[in-house]
Each structure stands twice: as C-alpha cells, then as structure tokens.
C-alpha cells in the first residue's frame, strides 16, 4: 500500500537558519502530495500542496517540489522564525487501485526554532 | 463559519467501557476520515468514508467502529476491544474524492483511559 516516510526529528534550529525536512513516498500512479502543520494543542492545517510532477507548492515562505523521479516532496524554508515551531506532516492522497481517495500521513517531524 | 466540530475535547474512560467521539461538519464535504495520533507515530488512519452509508477500514481499524448515516456526521466508537485507546483523535473531511482538494481537520478529541 501507499506509504510516506519523513526524516526523523526533532529538528532544532536557530532563528533565520535554513530548513529542510525530507519526505519520500511509495504509491501507485500519480498521487497528490501535501504538507500539513500542527501547532501545539491544535488540529492540522494545510501548509502547501502539489498535484502533479514538477509542481512546486509554496506558502508562508515554505516550498516543496513534487519530484516523481525521486518520489520525494521535501519541505524547505530559507529563514525560519520562532513562530514556525510546530509538527510538520507530509501526506499523500492515493490515486489508484485500492488506495484511491485514501490519505496517508508520514510520522511527523517536530521543529523547534530558538531565538 | 463552516468547519468540523469534534466533541468532547477531552474524555476519560474506564477500562471496559465503550465511548463514542462525535464529528460533525457543515462544509457539505463528501469524504470523512478518522485518524489517531500518538507521540512519535504521526497520524494513523482508522476509518474513512467517501459517501453516506459506506465506509472502509484504514490501517488500524481493530477495536473501533464507525457509522455514516448522514453526510455531515461520522461518529467513531472506541470499543473495549481496543487495547490501547489513550490517544489524540482527529476527524477530517474533504470535498469529493477527486484531485487534490484540501483536507480540513477538526480540533481533535483527547481520550484517556483511567
């Protein structure tokens, strides 16, 4: 079945540092890919998405590019802020077979940004 | 405002009891999902439903049951057969089952077994 693998955390950075959180996936066909963010005590919010190969999703300074050849969707931000501290989830929505319509999440990566 | 309402926000259960978590959405979304979140394990899919009166098991359905009698409601029952039910439960919905529509989450329900 479909699966999503994220880099293990926690990730701890200083303010204004560069962020990369790796995400790779296994899926049938051409899934849609997402990054969600969860702030303490809250549900998840969509951060960005990409629906086809080479699409770049972006929002709030975060970016991720759908790489079909490497089955990856790495999240990047050039300069993180303390307010970016949260848990980040990579996810995919199945596009074929028994996975159609099914949303699968990675295990989440905790990001802590220090002043 | 449209959204997903989960209740209760906090719930305590004694061992051997069944409990039902409510999830209601007024977004007119077709598909609804239940996830369980445990520290260090991310979100794991329990059940999902793409249309009324139909639902599918996710990756960890054992010990849980659901119903989808109305489009706006997708309650989750945590039965006594669930061996480790203490967790944070998230309900979500999405418009249709096609394309890359955005998944909307509720604020979650935290269940603790005493």
């Amino acid at each position: 079945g479909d699966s999503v693998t994220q880099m293990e955390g926690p990730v701890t950075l200083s303010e204004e540092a560069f962020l990369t959180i790796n995400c790779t996936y296994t899926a049938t066909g051409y899934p849609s890919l997402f990054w969600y963010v969860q702030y303490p005590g809250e549900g998840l919010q969509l951060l960005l998405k990409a629906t086809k190969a080479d699409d770049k999703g972006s929002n709030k300074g975060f970016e991720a590019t759908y790489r079909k050849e490497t089955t990856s969707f790495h999240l990047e931000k050039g300069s993180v802020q303390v307010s970016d501290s949260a848990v980040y989830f990579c996810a995919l929505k199945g596009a074929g077979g028994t996975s159609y319509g099914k949303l699968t999440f990675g295990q989440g990566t905790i990001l802590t940004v220090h002043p | 405002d449209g959204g997903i309402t989960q209740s209760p926000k906090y719930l305590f259960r004694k061992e051997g009891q069944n409990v039902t978590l409510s999830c209601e959405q007024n977004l007119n979304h077709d598909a609804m999902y239940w996830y369980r979140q445990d520290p260090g394990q991310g979100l794991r899919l329990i059940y999902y439903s793409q249309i009324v009166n139909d639902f599918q098991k996710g990756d960890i359905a054992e010990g849980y049951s659901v119903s989808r009698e109305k489009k706006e409601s997708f309650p989750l029952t945590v039965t006594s057969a669930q061996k480790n039910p203490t967790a944070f439960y998230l309900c979500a919905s999405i418009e249709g089952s096609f394309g890359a529509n955005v998944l909307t989450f509720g604020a979650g329900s935290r269940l603790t077994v005493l």
Side-chain angles (χ1 to χ4, degrees):
Chain A
D2 295 349
S3 67
V4 177
T5 302
Q6 292 180 231
M7 67 182 286
E8 291 190 17
V11 175
T12 302
L13 296 173
S14 298
E15 205 164 26
E16 299 184 2
F18 184 84
L19 168 71
T20 299
I21 301 177
N22 289 341
C23 172
T24 58
Y25 68 90
T26 302
T28 302
Y30 296 87
S32 299
L33 301 174
F34 306 82
W35 276 100
Y36 282 83
V37 58
Q38 183 181 33
Y39 298 102
E42 299 182 9
L44 277 69
Q45 305 171 25
L46 178 70
L47 181 59
L48 52 84
K49 67 179 182 181
T51 61
K52 60 184 187 295
D54 300 324
D55 266 3
K56 177 184 283 188
S58 61
N59 185 27
K60 300 180 181 179
F62 291 90
E63 293 183 341
T65 301
Y66 188 149
R67 300 289 188 198
K68 183 69 176 173
E69 65 275 13
T70 55
T71 61
S72 65
F73 193 55
H74 304 322
L75 182 69
E76 297 181 336
K77 186 174 186 182
S79 176
V80 293
Q81 305 300 312
V82 172
S83 57
D84 294 327
S85 298
V87 184
Y88 292 82
F89 293 91
C90 185
L92 71 82
K93 188 178 185 188
T98 57
S99 297
Y100 187 77
K102 179 181 173 183
L103 286 136
T104 302
F105 285 80
Q107 73 271 34
T109 301
I110 299 172
L111 171 66
T112 302
V113 180
H114 293 296
Chain B
D1 288 339
I4 298 179
T5 301
Q6 288 187 240
S7 62
K9 190 172 179 66
Y10 299 96
L11 183 62
F12 298 89
R13 186 193 96 173
K14 294 181 180 178
E15 285 193 19
Q17 287 182 334
N18 292 356
V19 293
T20 298
L21 307 181
S22 170
C23 178
E24 302 280 334
Q25 54 100 355
N26 61 2
L27 301 164
N28 199 33
H29 284 176
D30 296 302
M32 298 186 73
Y33 302 78
W34 273 106
Y35 288 89
R36 170 181 170 140
Q37 185 176 21
D38 297 280
Q41 296 193 50
L43 274 68
R44 293 182 289 168
L45 181 64
I46 305 172
Y47 270 97
Y48 65 110
S49 167
Q50 300 197 58
I51 57 172
V52 175
N53 292 323
D54 186 45
F55 48 83
Q56 290 79 40
K57 292 182 179 180
D59 300 316
I60 55 164
E62 185 175 354
Y64 298 97
S65 65
V66 294
S67 63
R68 188 83 188 279
E69 298 176 359
K70 299 185 294 182
K71 187 175 184 179
E72 60 270 24
S73 179
F74 191 42
L76 173 74
T77 297
V78 185
T79 75
S80 57
Q82 170 50 236
K83 298 306 179 187
N84 185 22
T86 295
F88 190 53
Y89 292 87
L90 287 163
C91 179
S93 71
I94 196 166
E95 184 177 1
S97 299
F98 303 96
N101 297 312
V102 175
L103 191 65
T104 301
F105 280 86
S109 293
R110 186 168 297 280
L111 172 63
T112 302
V113 174
L114 302 174

